[in-house]
Amino acid sequence: MPQLFARRPIAAPNSQGFSRQIGGLGLIALGVGGIIGTGIFVLTGTAAALHAGPAVALSFVIAAFACALAAMCYAELATVIPVSGSAYSYTYATLGELPAWFVAWNLILEYLLGASLVAVGWSGYLVSALADVSVVIAPAFTQAPLAHTASGWQSSGALFNLPAMAVIAVMGALAYTGLRNSARANAVFLLIKLLVILGFIIFGIWHVDATRWLPFIPENTGIAGQYGWTGVMQGAAMVFFTYLGFDALATMAQEVKQPQRNVPIGIFGALAVCTVLYIAVAMVVTGLVDYRDLNVDAPVALALDRTAELLWLAPWLKWGAIAGMTSVLLVILTALPRIFHAVASDGLLPTRLARLHPRFATPAILIVICTGTAMLMAGLLPLHVLGELISLGTLAAFSVVCAAVPVLRRTRPDLKRAFRVPFADFTASLGVLACLYLMSSVSTAGWVRFGAWTVIGVALYALYGYHRSPLRRGEVH
């Protein structure tokens, strides 16, 4: 049993090459750039329609609180474990191999489904934008074959979501060749995303109908998670995905001036800015359209299309959202194979999977596997299923990261920490509880699917990783 918790040795942190140049405001700006993503264009409507109603705005606040706790724990681990900001690597060095495998397996789930969810949203906005210029794609090729509504599962009459599968195929091909967006291109895409969000808020707020916000928290239907407080919490678990990217802030701790002061400023500041923007988007969307009508792939597009005074703005915002989502999808499909690569390099998956392409120097086999799997998920699964599973996988991984901080404080008190979580035992414990509480809000069906994924992961580790681990065989010192 102790061998299941064998820990990878922690090398001494090497700060050579890092200069402390980032201040608190700079870290906030970087954080907003990393956090602002496509979830806001996709999940807001689903969370409002199925779970929280107009109170989806409150769901964003709750999700941000859990993110802040996890991000501070991430930050401390990033300063003492000299690796590239991986929750998998942090867990391997603190809690051991089996917990690390659990985290990696859930990060794989998060990124796979994240790519699929972004692609489904991309498809929804593309279909809407093309319809504005009288180009219509047959509905049979723009939706998943099954749809989930408040009343349960229904056949959509569609075959598969072709645009979602196509964009993943194209972005996967770009990731295969090793193409990277330049810093300037990334800045342009970020600017586009911010302009889309700000434009929707600024122009849309003048046309909201405040009566649509009443009651703010709709009465529970008698089923847990369908409105009421349980719906707000389930909505918080779902929109947690919109904050992903905050972990990038934690990995910069060694490059921050006065990290003990500026890391919390950067984390809380970025989360606060994004939360304000997300709340504003949620209030405008639910003020323009009845929240019960928002269970669609492109809720912001629907709100614009149903508001005559904003039809002039709709094409600009739709194409802007499409551009932003395209960039995010490429980033996800570039990062996902790297997680697989790290696990395979550690011997927990076949090492041949970690081989790099002789010309492009990319993990080509893994990119093909990840791209194909994400295409199937995007083509066949509806948003609701994708959102729930992303939340469970991500929250499970982050709860383990939070638990690792007090463990490492006790096992390696000698390690120098550029940033220390304030009131570590309390903060880390609260982070674990916050993540677990949000997980508990997910539907029973979501837990069944997550349980099946976990069982597959444990079986894979038992059949392969446990026996092939170089660390457990004494080959890593």
mmCIF file of all heavy atoms in Angstrom, residues 374-392:
data_model
loop_
_atom_site.group_PDB
_atom_site.id
_atom_site.type_symbol
_atom_site.label_atom_id
_atom_site.label_comp_id
_atom_site.label_asym_id
_atom_site.label_seq_id
_atom_site.Cartn_x
_atom_site.Cartn_y
_atom_site.Cartn_z
ATOM 1 N N ALA A 374 -11.690 14.158 -28.837
ATOM 2 C CA ALA A 374 -12.422 15.418 -28.671
ATOM 3 C C ALA A 374 -13.439 15.622 -29.785
ATOM 4 O O ALA A 374 -14.538 16.146 -29.558
ATOM 5 C CB ALA A 374 -11.443 16.590 -28.621
ATOM 6 N N MET A 375 -13.107 15.201 -31.005
ATOM 7 C CA MET A 375 -14.057 15.311 -32.113
ATOM 8 C C MET A 375 -15.316 14.495 -31.849
ATOM 9 O O MET A 375 -16.437 14.974 -32.055
ATOM 10 C CB MET A 375 -13.395 14.833 -33.411
ATOM 11 C CG MET A 375 -12.389 15.791 -34.006
ATOM 12 S SD MET A 375 -11.580 15.101 -35.491
ATOM 13 C CE MET A 375 -13.001 14.943 -36.591
ATOM 14 N N LEU A 376 -15.137 13.267 -31.370
ATOM 15 C CA LEU A 376 -16.297 12.425 -31.078
ATOM 16 C C LEU A 376 -17.167 13.033 -29.988
ATOM 17 O O LEU A 376 -18.398 13.057 -30.088
ATOM 18 C CB LEU A 376 -15.830 11.025 -30.670
ATOM 19 C CG LEU A 376 -15.249 10.148 -31.786
ATOM 20 C CD1 LEU A 376 -14.716 8.846 -31.215
ATOM 21 C CD2 LEU A 376 -16.306 9.870 -32.848
ATOM 22 N N MET A 377 -16.535 13.534 -28.926
ATOM 23 C CA MET A 377 -17.291 14.136 -27.820
ATOM 24 C C MET A 377 -18.048 15.368 -28.287
ATOM 25 O O MET A 377 -19.219 15.565 -27.945
ATOM 26 C CB MET A 377 -16.343 14.497 -26.682
ATOM 27 C CG MET A 377 -15.774 13.298 -25.944
ATOM 28 S SD MET A 377 -14.661 13.799 -24.612
ATOM 29 C CE MET A 377 -14.411 12.231 -23.775
ATOM 30 N N ALA A 378 -17.383 16.229 -29.073
ATOM 31 C CA ALA A 378 -18.031 17.455 -29.545
ATOM 32 C C ALA A 378 -19.180 17.141 -30.501
ATOM 33 O O ALA A 378 -20.191 17.841 -30.517
ATOM 34 C CB ALA A 378 -17.011 18.354 -30.231
ATOM 35 N N GLY A 379 -19.030 16.089 -31.282
ATOM 36 C CA GLY A 379 -20.057 15.764 -32.260
ATOM 37 C C GLY A 379 -21.273 15.091 -31.679
ATOM 38 O O GLY A 379 -22.378 15.210 -32.221
ATOM 39 N N LEU A 380 -21.100 14.402 -30.527
ATOM 40 C CA LEU A 380 -22.176 13.552 -30.027
ATOM 41 C C LEU A 380 -22.762 13.970 -28.685
ATOM 42 O O LEU A 380 -23.866 13.546 -28.347
ATOM 43 C CB LEU A 380 -21.668 12.106 -29.909
ATOM 44 C CG LEU A 380 -21.135 11.483 -31.207
ATOM 45 C CD1 LEU A 380 -20.595 10.090 -30.936
ATOM 46 C CD2 LEU A 380 -22.224 11.436 -32.274
ATOM 47 N N LEU A 381 -22.027 14.769 -27.894
ATOM 48 C CA LEU A 381 -22.496 15.096 -26.545
ATOM 49 C C LEU A 381 -23.028 16.521 -26.465
ATOM 50 O O LEU A 381 -22.436 17.442 -27.040
ATOM 51 C CB LEU A 381 -21.363 14.926 -25.527
ATOM 52 C CG LEU A 381 -20.822 13.508 -25.344
ATOM 53 C CD1 LEU A 381 -19.675 13.510 -24.343
ATOM 54 C CD2 LEU A 381 -21.925 12.559 -24.893
ATOM 55 N N PRO A 382 -24.121 16.743 -25.723
ATOM 56 C CA PRO A 382 -24.664 18.101 -25.546
ATOM 57 C C PRO A 382 -23.882 18.876 -24.496
ATOM 58 O O PRO A 382 -23.118 18.312 -23.711
ATOM 59 C CB PRO A 382 -26.104 17.844 -25.088
ATOM 60 C CG PRO A 382 -26.043 16.519 -24.390
ATOM 61 C CD PRO A 382 -25.001 15.719 -25.114
ATOM 62 N N LEU A 383 -24.089 20.176 -24.480
ATOM 63 C CA LEU A 383 -23.363 21.060 -23.567
ATOM 64 C C LEU A 383 -23.524 20.672 -22.106
ATOM 65 O O LEU A 383 -22.575 20.728 -21.329
ATOM 66 C CB LEU A 383 -23.858 22.508 -23.746
ATOM 67 C CG LEU A 383 -23.184 23.343 -24.836
ATOM 68 C CD1 LEU A 383 -23.851 24.704 -24.906
ATOM 69 C CD2 LEU A 383 -21.711 23.482 -24.552
ATOM 70 N N HIS A 384 -24.726 20.283 -21.702
ATOM 71 C CA HIS A 384 -24.994 20.026 -20.292
ATOM 72 C C HIS A 384 -24.086 18.921 -19.758
ATOM 73 O O HIS A 384 -23.505 19.040 -18.678
ATOM 74 C CB HIS A 384 -26.463 19.646 -20.101
ATOM 75 C CG HIS A 384 -26.841 19.381 -18.681
ATOM 76 N ND1 HIS A 384 -26.946 20.375 -17.750
ATOM 77 C CD2 HIS A 384 -27.113 18.214 -18.020
ATOM 78 C CE1 HIS A 384 -27.287 19.853 -16.583
ATOM 79 N NE2 HIS A 384 -27.386 18.555 -16.722
ATOM 80 N N VAL A 385 -23.950 17.856 -20.516
ATOM 81 C CA VAL A 385 -23.104 16.740 -20.098
ATOM 82 C C VAL A 385 -21.648 17.167 -20.041
ATOM 83 O O VAL A 385 -20.922 16.869 -19.087
ATOM 84 C CB VAL A 385 -23.277 15.546 -21.059
ATOM 85 C CG1 VAL A 385 -22.268 14.446 -20.755
ATOM 86 C CG2 VAL A 385 -24.694 15.003 -20.968
ATOM 87 N N LEU A 386 -21.203 17.913 -21.054
ATOM 88 C CA LEU A 386 -19.821 18.361 -21.090
ATOM 89 C C LEU A 386 -19.508 19.264 -19.901
ATOM 90 O O LEU A 386 -18.479 19.112 -19.247
ATOM 91 C CB LEU A 386 -19.558 19.117 -22.401
ATOM 92 C CG LEU A 386 -19.639 18.291 -23.690
ATOM 93 C CD1 LEU A 386 -19.544 19.205 -24.911
ATOM 94 C CD2 LEU A 386 -18.551 17.238 -23.730
ATOM 95 N N GLY A 387 -20.414 20.211 -19.611
ATOM 96 C CA GLY A 387 -20.189 21.150 -18.520
ATOM 97 C C GLY A 387 -20.081 20.478 -17.170
ATOM 98 O O GLY A 387 -19.217 20.808 -16.359
ATOM 99 N N GLU A 388 -20.963 19.515 -16.893
ATOM 100 C CA GLU A 388 -20.929 18.824 -15.607
ATOM 101 C C GLU A 388 -19.644 18.034 -15.419
ATOM 102 O O GLU A 388 -19.019 18.068 -14.353
ATOM 103 C CB GLU A 388 -22.134 17.882 -15.488
ATOM 104 C CG GLU A 388 -23.417 18.560 -15.087
ATOM 105 C CD GLU A 388 -24.473 17.550 -14.662
ATOM 106 O OE1 GLU A 388 -24.448 16.409 -15.165
ATOM 107 O OE2 GLU A 388 -25.317 17.913 -13.828
ATOM 108 N N LEU A 389 -19.240 17.299 -16.429
ATOM 109 C CA LEU A 389 -18.050 16.466 -16.303
ATOM 110 C C LEU A 389 -16.787 17.305 -16.190
ATOM 111 O O LEU A 389 -15.854 16.953 -15.455
ATOM 112 C CB LEU A 389 -17.956 15.510 -17.491
ATOM 113 C CG LEU A 389 -18.899 14.308 -17.441
ATOM 114 C CD1 LEU A 389 -18.807 13.500 -18.720
ATOM 115 C CD2 LEU A 389 -18.587 13.421 -16.241
ATOM 116 N N ILE A 390 -16.722 18.420 -16.906
ATOM 117 C CA ILE A 390 -15.580 19.325 -16.765
ATOM 118 C C ILE A 390 -15.477 19.797 -15.323
ATOM 119 O O ILE A 390 -14.396 19.808 -14.724
ATOM 120 C CB ILE A 390 -15.724 20.538 -17.704
ATOM 121 C CG1 ILE A 390 -15.556 20.111 -19.159
ATOM 122 C CG2 ILE A 390 -14.683 21.602 -17.373
ATOM 123 C CD1 ILE A 390 -15.868 21.207 -20.148
ATOM 124 N N SER A 391 -16.610 20.185 -14.750
ATOM 125 C CA SER A 391 -16.615 20.700 -13.381
ATOM 126 C C SER A 391 -16.130 19.647 -12.392
ATOM 127 O O SER A 391 -15.287 19.936 -11.539
ATOM 128 C CB SER A 391 -18.029 21.155 -13.009
ATOM 129 O OG SER A 391 -18.460 22.192 -13.859
ATOM 130 N N LEU A 392 -16.648 18.448 -12.502
ATOM 131 C CA LEU A 392 -16.255 17.403 -11.552
ATOM 132 C C LEU A 392 -14.768 17.083 -11.674
ATOM 133 O O LEU A 392 -14.063 16.963 -10.666
ATOM 134 C CB LEU A 392 -17.098 16.147 -11.799
ATOM 135 C CG LEU A 392 -18.508 16.191 -11.222
ATOM 136 C CD1 LEU A 392 -19.329 15.015 -11.726
ATOM 137 C CD2 LEU A 392 -18.468 16.184 -9.696
#
